[in-house]
Amino acid sequence: MTVIDSTDQADVVARVRDLTDGRGPDSVIDAVGMEAHGSPLATIAQKATAVVPDVIMERVMTVVGIDRLAALNTAIEAVRRGGTISLSGVYGGATDPLPLMRMFDKQIQLRMGQANVWRWVPDILPLLIDGDPLGVDEFATHRVPLEQAPEAYANFRQKKEGTVKVLIQP
Amino acid sequence: MRAVTWHGRGGVRVETVPDPTIQDPTDVIVEVTSSGICGSDLHLIEVLAPFMTVGDIMGHEPMGVVREVGREVTAVKPGDRVVVPFNISCGSCWMCEQGLQSQCETTQNREQGMGASLFGYTKLYGQVPGGQAEYLRVPFGNTLPIKVPDAPLDDRYVYLSDVLPTAWQAVQYAGIPQGGSVLVLGLGPIGDMATRIAKHLGAGQVIASDVVPERLARAGATA
Ligand SMILES: [Zn+2]
Ligand SMILES: [Zn+2]
């Protein structure tokens, strides 16, 4: 597997092209939506302006929204012509403009939505019973008792101490 | 019981709250043994804060042991080890039968214009008490809990609640041709797991990106 530092989003597109015969990958999975910082449910926020304090709306529409679109635009630019983009996690964006001309011209397919857990259980559970091909046994970076949950949340929020996945074990 | 509760944008607390009880004849009560903290839990103390109420119990990635069952529950019994899916789906409506449990027509939040209810996830999704607690009330006891073997450790099964099906669906929806290439943007739990599943299901070339050096190192190490 090749990993790329995406601090510079334009660089990601160029590097990925180089790695895929100049075409771009068949598929792009945008998993940034699941990340801690960003991905407001902007559609919801839109519907709920009456109950959302201005300061939050402002954040939704500016800082956070920009981060979110950066990842999605990277996906649209990076994917090969005729390829597929899969969005996981919570995305909103009633007001976020998408480059539809570019998407149409590249003939991009787009799928998304919250996981349908039971749809996939019969495919996944047998893998876990036979062994550990996906490395779940070592997947958690931290396991903490219930009483330490507040510190674990804080570390996760600040991406401190290498926190990727925390299991609370009451 | 003790539970992780919401207290505004400052963060969460651990408090003593009433134990959950059987309310419907198909409910089960699960004693939680492991419960993930999800990236989307952080949204609740950030942008989704206005949809939360002080004292709401957090968490939607639990597993544990069934302790009590309602009188109509036949699929699980006290002592069974179960994982609880993050979406609360009835398992028998038209949407559930299509494999679209996130759109369950029994638990859809129509007045909010939203899909199926979720554990521990705001008024928009039913304001259902979550699984970062000692005990959890689980509805639809005959269809919702996922029975798992008694061994090995919780780590093997707990991600069936969210991380594994979310990453699996992301890979399936990506439609990667056999031997084809995929770029995964973001190496949090879902992106990281999606790279592993893509390889497992036969992707020929997996490329991934993130801005956090530790996450790049972690994903590079599993290559
Ligand atoms: Zn989750
Ligand atoms: Zn249903």
Side-chain angles (χ1 to χ4, degrees):
Chain A
M1 183 162 91
T2 310
V3 294
I4 300 173
D5 184 331
S6 57
T7 306
D8 180 353
Q9 298 275 338
D11 186 48
V12 175
V13 174
R15 291 269 319 271
V16 170
R17 288 242 170 93
D18 287 346
L19 291 164
T20 53
D21 298 328
R23 284 192 195 99
D26 298 310
S27 310
V28 178
I29 294 170
D30 179 353
V32 175
M34 290 303 283
E35 281 295 312
H37 303 286
S39 50
L41 299 174
T43 32
I44 298 165
Q46 279 288 295
K47 286 185 202 162
T49 41
V51 297
V52 180
D54 287 347
V55 61
I56 296 177
M57 285 304 295
E58 191 180 318
R59 187 172 156 79
V60 166
M61 293 304 141
T62 57
V63 182
V64 180
I66 289 162
D67 279 346
R68 212 154 38 76
L69 284 182
L72 185 51
N73 281 324
T74 300
I76 292 164
E77 281 310 306
V79 73
R80 73 156 160 80
R81 288 178 175 273
T84 302
I85 297 173
S86 167
L87 306 183
S88 72
V90 278
Y91 260 84
T95 61
D96 293 333
L98 285 176
L100 272 176
M101 180 184 176
R102 184 90 174 126
M103 293 165 75
F104 185 86
D105 181 64
K106 285 188 74 171
Q107 202 157 140
I108 289 171
Q109 304 174 71
L110 184 59
R111 294 198 74 182
M112 65 189 96
Q114 214 145 47
N116 302 297
V117 174
W118 264 107
R119 166 69 183 82
W120 309 111
V121 167
D123 295 326
I124 302 169
L125 185 54
L127 292 179
L128 306 178
I129 290 170
D130 291 346
D132 187 18
L134 302 174
V136 293
D137 287 353
E138 305 300 324
F139 193 69
T141 52
H142 297 75
R143 296 169 189 81
V144 302
L146 191 65
E147 300 298 326
Q148 285 173 25
E151 297 96 288
Y153 263 83
N155 286 338
F156 186 34
R157 195 177 186 180
Q158 294 158 36
K159 295 189 168 74
K160 274 197 338 204
E161 297 183 15
T163 305
V164 177
K165 192 67 190 180
V166 181
L167 294 180
I168 295 171
Q169 302 189 308
Chain B
M1 67 167 181
R2 301 288 281 168
V4 179
T5 55
W6 187 88
H7 283 273
R9 295 162 65 86
V12 300
R13 295 181 197 165
V14 180
E15 291 184 310
T16 300
V17 301
D19 287 355
T21 56
I22 300 277
Q23 291 170 28
D24 293 319
T26 54
D27 285 353
V28 306
I29 302 294
V30 172
E31 181 179 356
V32 177
T33 54
S34 289
S35 205
I37 302 179
C38 183
S40 65
D41 287 330
L42 298 182
H43 299 155
L44 305 180
I45 48 181
E46 294 175 351
V47 292
L48 293 180
F51 304 105
M52 295 293 283
T53 304
V54 168
D56 280 353
I57 301 175
M58 308 280 290
H60 60 263
E61 304 187 348
M63 72 173 290
V65 178
V66 174
R67 288 301 177 213
E68 202 184 334
V69 301
R71 62 187 150 76
E72 289 176 18
V73 175
T74 54
V76 293
K77 59 184 187 310
D80 284 351
R81 195 184 193 202
V82 295
V83 178
V84 182
F86 77 96
N87 30 48
I88 302 174
S89 52
C90 73
S92 54
C93 72
W94 190 88
M95 285 291 179
C96 284
E97 280 173 5
Q98 310 302 307
L100 290 166
Q101 288 83 0
S102 66
Q103 313 300 327
C104 173
E105 289 178 332
T106 308
T107 73
Q108 263 181 33
N109 290 276
R110 292 182 173 80
E111 68 292 345
Q112 304 281 359
M114 301 301 286
S117 289
L118 307 177
F119 285 101
Y121 219 79
T122 79
K123 291 171 204 155
L124 298 164
Y125 290 103
Q127 199 173 17
V128 182
Q132 290 167 7
E134 290 181 287
Y135 295 92
L136 175 67
R137 171 184 168 245
V138 179
F140 308 110
N142 287 319
T143 47
L144 186 58
I146 305 165
K147 255 169 96 164
V148 296
D150 289 333
L153 294 175
D154 283 3
D155 296 65
R156 181 67 63 86
Y157 301 111
V158 67
Y159 305 112
L160 276 172
S161 57
D162 183 348
V163 173
L164 283 168
T166 296
W168 192 279
Q169 178 169 301
V171 172
Q172 294 291 345
Y173 281 9
I176 308 160
Q178 200 62 29
S181 53
V182 61
L183 167 65
V184 178
L185 298 173
L187 284 166
I190 302 303
D192 185 335
M193 188 56 74
T195 66
R196 302 173 191 215
I197 292 169
K199 278 180 267 184
H200 178 79
L201 293 177
Q205 187 180 21
V206 180
I207 307 164
S209 72
D210 201 296
V211 294
V212 182
E214 292 87 351
R215 294 185 175 198
L216 292 167
R218 171 180 154 103
T222 61

